[in-house]
Amino acid sequence: MPKNTKVTQREHSNEPVTESVADLLSLEHPMDYKSSQMSMGLSPGSTAPGRSLLPEQDAEDGRPAWNNKLEYILAQVGFSVGLGNVWRFPYLCQKNGGGAYLVPYFILLLLIGIPLFFLELAVGQRIRRGSIGVWNYVYPQLGGIGVSSLMVCGFVGLYYNVIIGWSIFYFFQSFQYPLPWAECPIRKNGTQAIVEPECEKSSATTYFWYRQTLNITSTIDETGGLNWKMTLSLLVAWILVCLAVMKGIQSSGKVMYFSSLFPYVVLFCFLVRGLMLKGSVDGIAHMFTPKLEKMLEPQVWREAATQVFFALGLGFGGVIAFSSYNKRDNNCHFDAALVSVINFVTSILATLVVFAVLGFKANVMNEKCVVENAEKILGYLNTGVLSRELIPSHINFSHLTAQDYSEMYGVIKTVKEDSFGQLGLDPCILEDELNKGTGLAFIAFTEAMTHFPASPFWSVMFFFMLINLGLGSMIGTMTGITTPILDAFKIRKEILCVVCCIIAFLLGLLFVQRSGNYFVTMFDDYSAGLPLTVVVILENISVAWIYGTKRFMQDLEDMLGFRPYTFYYYMWRYVSPTILVVLIAATVIEMSVSPAGYNAWVEEEGSERFHSYPPWALAMAYALIVVAMLPLPIVFIARHFNLVSDGSNKLSVSYRKGMMKDISNLEEQDEQRFILGKNPSEAPSPMPAHRAYLGPGGTQEMTNTNYGTSTKTGYQNIGSPESEL
């Protein structure tokens, strides 16, 4: 440092220092060298030869940036809105009390969803690193959070892309009329043609799913070899993902314009078409009829919390990775609220679509039931088993309605009470059909579409929508994997993406063997649930309790230009951690109480049967949980005992550059004031007045006693500018 600077003179003066180095470095506005008239003798507005026109911050650390805000919002929406919104949410809504389920879901969205989503957006945007770099920066001893997050992303990506492969297979199978799952296949037995027994015992759509698509084995022990149709579909899925993420956000941002918006076009088309179908209103009315007693059941709240948790993609690293490409002054608070509301509205829209279509299907199946049972009654009348006096006079068998059949059924059941069971008549109640549930998208919804006019068109649209929904989520998942690696190592992103996709495809062959669906179920049940919940609560604790909620709120105020609502202070510090602890406890209890197993397809019966996992499969299931969470204690122990570096050499390069630039600015301005002959007290302050964070009440200034002190690691030295997050 030059000896004649004011900064040096202050060291030898007796004047009290009223500003800490941390304050100087964190609040100083860097001089814009490109626009400064003192810079290299350039005129205002001109740039030095060879200088980038990108913002100085982006050009300095070489980090890519979103082309515009819309691309970023679409990327976050595409990542958070996935198959869970379109299928799992309607299923949980029906299972847990219809409209009453929306109350706990919305409450928990406010208490844990939006606050934690905002937290991830804020730390990613401020630190401008992927999940590993962010948590190394906040608290190096909990740097394992990022590694665990990356591993969970890997596990989920492996089987999630298999679902996209299934959608691709159904998409291409939809280009034929009638749809191949509309009717059971006919088997020739010599000169006699018979319906395939397995299909006859189940249904055409169920048979097509289990036999034609998966060609599934009867147990997880029987691998059955590779299913080549599914292997090819998985290859196509990974090629699509690779092409979408190969160029980073430059390529994925463009893809998001279509993959994020197209599903909404399809959903609106399905909603309009569904509302025009007979029985759609019955489905929607059944869906939103609240069963208020369900709200008192703890299971409903647990499943609502889990759905909120996964619907927003918390803990995967994709949210942090996407936000790390933003400018530091982006209003991430608005983004968090906007994306959360879009996610919730999408779930409601999908619920309307699903139950409008399933209401139509229930009416079709109920009418079919009425016709079949009316034929049985006519047979009994013709053979004298039933007397014609039992049939009300106003009933016309050629135009029999569900109400007419219900009345006739009640009379016969009352009169023939003793021998009624031998008649084999079904009640054909619409409510029973609606209560059968949503089931699997590849069975229930496909069956409903076979009854649509122009069914191939709607099938193509539906599965193309699923492909786009899955692709949007996979782009976020892959970004959550590649961004931390690119931050830590100098690798070309194209090479990294291709290598990751090739490895993932080879590992994904586990899921496309004939028993692969059982492994998809295993990974879905064990690889993400508990590990992700642990990851998110540690994220919450590291920011709110270790870094400090007050400091974080002050950082947000400096970054956003306004202080976030006091609501977030209490959510981050008390409410969200408490709810997450309860959720972890409930998950562990559920896993210990419920038997570990899977639903196996029994070909001879044409139905599913629950099987417990064999010892090796159970060990594999629990190994997924252990492997995903293992980095947490390993990194903590290694850094606690200084066995490994805290990663500051790799992760703080841009911050060191920024720090040196700020110091240079201070020196230049001090020298200017010295030349002009002004005392420090007379010279205008180069910084805005320090805005102390007022605590939750907003009336009493709160100070952080940690400022100006050091922790065990140099990387988290609170006296350094890097501690200001």
Side-chain angles (χ1 to χ4, degrees):
M1 183 179 294
K3 296 181 179 180
N4 294 328
T5 65
K6 283 283 185 180
V7 174
T8 307
Q9 292 177 8
R10 281 186 187 179
E11 294 179 2
H12 305 287
S13 71
N14 296 324
E15 296 178 11
V17 179
T18 59
E19 298 155 340
S20 70
V21 176
D23 287 335
L24 289 172
L25 295 180
S26 64
L27 296 176
E28 173 68 8
H29 289 282
M31 181 182 295
D32 187 351
Y33 292 104
K34 297 177 184 178
S35 60
S36 172
Q37 298 183 40
M38 299 180 64
S39 177
M40 300 176 63
L42 298 174
S43 60
S46 63
T47 58
R51 283 287 188 118
S52 170
L53 293 176
L54 293 172
E56 183 171 305
Q57 177 177 299
D58 296 339
E60 181 178 283
D61 62 17
R63 193 167 191 80
W66 296 101
N67 291 328
N68 53 66
K69 183 66 173 281
L70 179 60
E71 269 190 19
Y72 166 68
I73 293 297
L74 290 178
Q76 291 286 14
V77 169
F79 176 53
S80 66
V81 175
L83 299 175
N85 299 74
V86 175
W87 208 255
R88 182 165 175 78
F89 184 89
Y91 163 74
L92 291 174
C93 201
Q94 184 208 36
K95 175 186 174 185
N96 295 315
Y101 173 74
L102 298 179
V103 176
Y105 183 87
F106 186 71
I107 291 173
L108 291 168
L109 179 65
L110 293 178
L111 296 182
I112 61 173
I114 295 178
L116 295 177
F117 191 61
F118 179 28
L119 183 146
E120 288 200 357
L121 290 179
V123 296
Q125 179 176 306
R126 179 61 183 88
I127 302 175
R128 293 174 63 78
R129 289 292 181 270
S131 57
I132 294 178
V134 159
W135 303 114
N136 276 337
Y137 176 84
V138 174
Y139 188 60
Q141 291 184 10
L142 287 180
I145 293 174
V147 183
S148 287
S149 178
L150 186 147
M151 297 190 73
V152 173
C153 269
F155 288 150
V156 172
L158 287 177
Y159 77 83
Y160 199 89
N161 220 26
V162 175
I163 301 175
I164 299 178
W166 295 341
S167 302
I168 291 172
F169 176 76
Y170 269 80
F171 172 74
F172 285 108
Q173 290 292 315
S174 299
F175 288 94
Q176 48 188 306
Y177 185 81
L179 291 171
W181 53 83
E183 297 177 354
C184 285
I186 304 298
R187 177 196 294 181
K188 288 188 177 181
N189 187 5
T191 58
Q192 188 179 10
I194 61 172
V195 176
E196 179 66 41
E198 184 181 3
C199 183
E200 191 174 21
K201 293 174 183 176
S202 53
S203 68
T205 50
T206 305
Y207 174 82
F208 185 86
W209 167 246
Y210 282 113
R211 189 54 54 211
Q212 299 291 95
T213 303
L214 301 178
N215 194 20
I216 200 164
T217 58
S218 297
T219 66
I220 196 172
D221 290 304
E222 306 171 38
T223 60
L226 288 177
N227 180 339
W228 290 106
K229 291 182 289 188
M230 291 300 99
T231 303
L232 183 61
S233 299
L234 180 64
L235 178 61
V236 173
W238 277 113
I239 290 174
L240 290 176
V241 171
C242 187
L243 292 175
V245 301
M246 184 180 292
K247 295 291 185 179
I249 62 172
Q250 281 73 25
S251 60
S252 62
K254 300 296 185 294
V255 173
M256 286 298 182
Y257 278 110
F258 184 81
S259 65
S260 295
L261 295 176
F262 179 75
Y264 290 96
V265 175
V266 177
L267 283 175
F268 276 112
C269 289
F270 263 99
L271 180 61
V272 173
R273 185 67 186 93
L275 291 175
M276 296 169 63
L277 297 171
K278 180 182 177 182
S280 60
V281 178
D282 295 327
I284 294 174
H286 175 77
M287 180 65 251
F288 288 103
T289 301
K291 303 177 181 65
L292 298 178
E293 66 278 2
K294 284 278 189 178
M295 290 181 58
L296 302 177
E297 298 179 9
Q299 177 74 4
V300 174
W301 289 82
R302 187 185 75 83
E303 293 191 344
T306 303
Q307 178 62 17
V308 167
F309 188 78
F310 289 106
L312 293 173
L314 299 174
F316 281 94
V319 173
I320 293 175
F322 280 149
S323 65
S324 72
Y325 298 113
N326 273 328
K327 295 179 181 179
R328 284 198 179 97
D329 60 353
N330 174 63
N331 189 349
C332 56
H333 175 259
F334 172 79
D335 300 341
L338 177 63
V339 174
S340 299
V341 169
I342 291 175
N343 191 291
F344 180 65
V345 172
T346 304
S347 298
I348 300 297
L349 175 62
T351 301
L352 289 172
V353 171
V354 167
F355 280 89
V357 172
L358 293 182
F360 163 70
K361 176 201 166 189
N363 268 267
V364 170
M365 300 306 293
N366 198 56
E367 289 177 359
K368 183 179 178 181
C369 175
V370 168
V371 170
E372 290 176 351
N373 284 272
E375 290 177 353
K376 289 182 182 179
I377 293 174
L378 281 174
Y380 293 143
L381 291 174
N382 293 332
T383 57
V385 176
L386 293 177
S387 171
R388 292 187 180 272
E389 296 177 356
L390 297 177
I391 310 301
S393 58
H394 66 276
I395 289 180
N396 183 357
F397 276 92
S398 59
H399 296 88
L400 191 65
T401 65
Q403 290 78 8
D404 291 340
Y405 174 78
S406 179
E407 182 182 352
M408 185 169 55
Y409 177 86
V411 172
I412 296 174
K413 184 176 182 181
T414 303
V415 175
K416 295 284 187 180
E417 185 175 357
D418 296 333
S419 58
F420 181 77
Q422 300 174 3
L423 298 177
L425 298 177
D426 297 316
C428 297
I429 301 174
L430 181 63
E431 189 77 9
D432 293 341
E433 288 291 340
L434 291 169
N435 283 330
K436 287 185 178 178
T438 58
L440 188 65
F442 296 96
I443 296 178
F445 211 87
T446 52
E447 183 175 351
M449 285 187 296
T450 59
H451 303 292
F452 275 32
S455 55
F457 169 77
W458 293 105
S459 182
V460 167
M461 292 282 284
F462 175 71
F463 288 108
F464 194 40
M465 178 189 72
L466 291 188
I467 293 170
N468 280 277
L469 284 172
L471 186 61
S473 296
M474 275 302 299
I475 288 174
T477 301
M478 288 298 295
T479 304
I481 295 172
T482 58
T483 297
I485 298 175
L486 291 171
D487 288 342
F489 304 100
K490 298 296 182 182
I491 307 174
R492 284 189 60 185
K493 64 173 69 75
E494 294 88 347
I495 296 176
L496 175 63
C497 288
V498 171
V499 170
C500 285
C501 290
I502 291 174
I503 293 174
F505 169 71
L506 295 176
L507 294 175
L509 295 177
L510 171 70
F511 306 105
V512 292
Q513 54 186 345
R514 290 181 58 195
S515 60
N517 188 50
Y518 303 138
F519 290 99
V520 171
T521 302
M522 177 193 294
F523 272 65
D524 189 40
D525 290 341
Y526 290 91
S527 68
L530 184 60
L532 270 186
T533 313
V534 173
V535 163
V536 174
I537 192 174
L538 290 177
E539 290 180 358
N540 194 167
I541 291 172
S542 63
V543 170
W545 288 90
I546 298 177
Y547 183 79
T549 311
K550 289 182 285 186
R551 289 181 61 204
F552 187 56
M553 293 286 281
Q554 180 62 55
D555 291 335
L556 289 175
E557 183 177 357
D558 294 337
M559 184 170 71
L560 302 176
F562 63 90
R563 186 172 64 205
Y565 298 116
T566 306
F567 166 81
Y568 291 107
Y569 179 91
Y570 291 108
M571 292 302 105
W572 287 330
R573 192 160 182 85
Y574 304 110
V575 179
S576 295
T578 303
I579 294 176
L580 289 172
V581 168
V582 173
L583 182 58
I584 289 175
T587 303
V588 172
I589 293 172
E590 177 73 16
M591 291 176 60
S592 59
V593 171
S594 302
Y598 60 101
N599 290 320
W601 179 254
V602 182
E603 181 178 353
E604 294 76 16
E605 300 176 3
S607 62
E608 290 182 332
R609 181 189 298 170
F610 182 82
H611 285 191
S612 296
Y613 282 124
W616 66 268
L618 192 61
M620 181 178 178
Y622 287 122
L624 292 174
I625 299 176
V626 173
V627 169
M629 294 197 297
L630 202 57
L632 296 170
I634 289 179
V635 172
F636 182 86
I637 293 171
R639 286 183 174 160
H640 182 75
F641 293 102
N642 296 319
L643 301 178
V644 295
S645 167
D646 60 14
S648 59
N649 291 334
K650 290 184 179 179
L651 296 172
S652 60
V653 174
S654 65
Y655 291 96
R656 289 201 300 270
K657 288 182 180 179
M659 179 172 63
M660 296 308 297
K661 179 181 69 179
D662 289 344
I663 292 174
S664 176
N665 287 338
L666 288 174
E667 289 179 4
E668 290 185 8
Q669 293 177 22
D670 272 339
E671 289 192 1
Q672 291 175 35
R673 290 196 294 270
F674 180 74
I675 291 171
L676 294 174
K678 294 183 178 181
N679 294 325
S681 60
E682 299 173 352
S685 174
M687 301 178 298
H690 180 72
R691 296 170 295 180
Y693 169 63
L694 300 179
T699 57
Q700 184 176 359
E701 180 176 342
M702 291 187 177
T703 58
N704 192 331
T705 57
N706 289 334
Y707 276 77
T709 62
S710 298
T711 56
K712 293 182 180 179
T713 60
Y715 188 52
Q716 207 195 8
N717 189 330
I718 298 178
S720 74
E722 292 189 26
S723 70
E724 295 299 320
L725 192 58

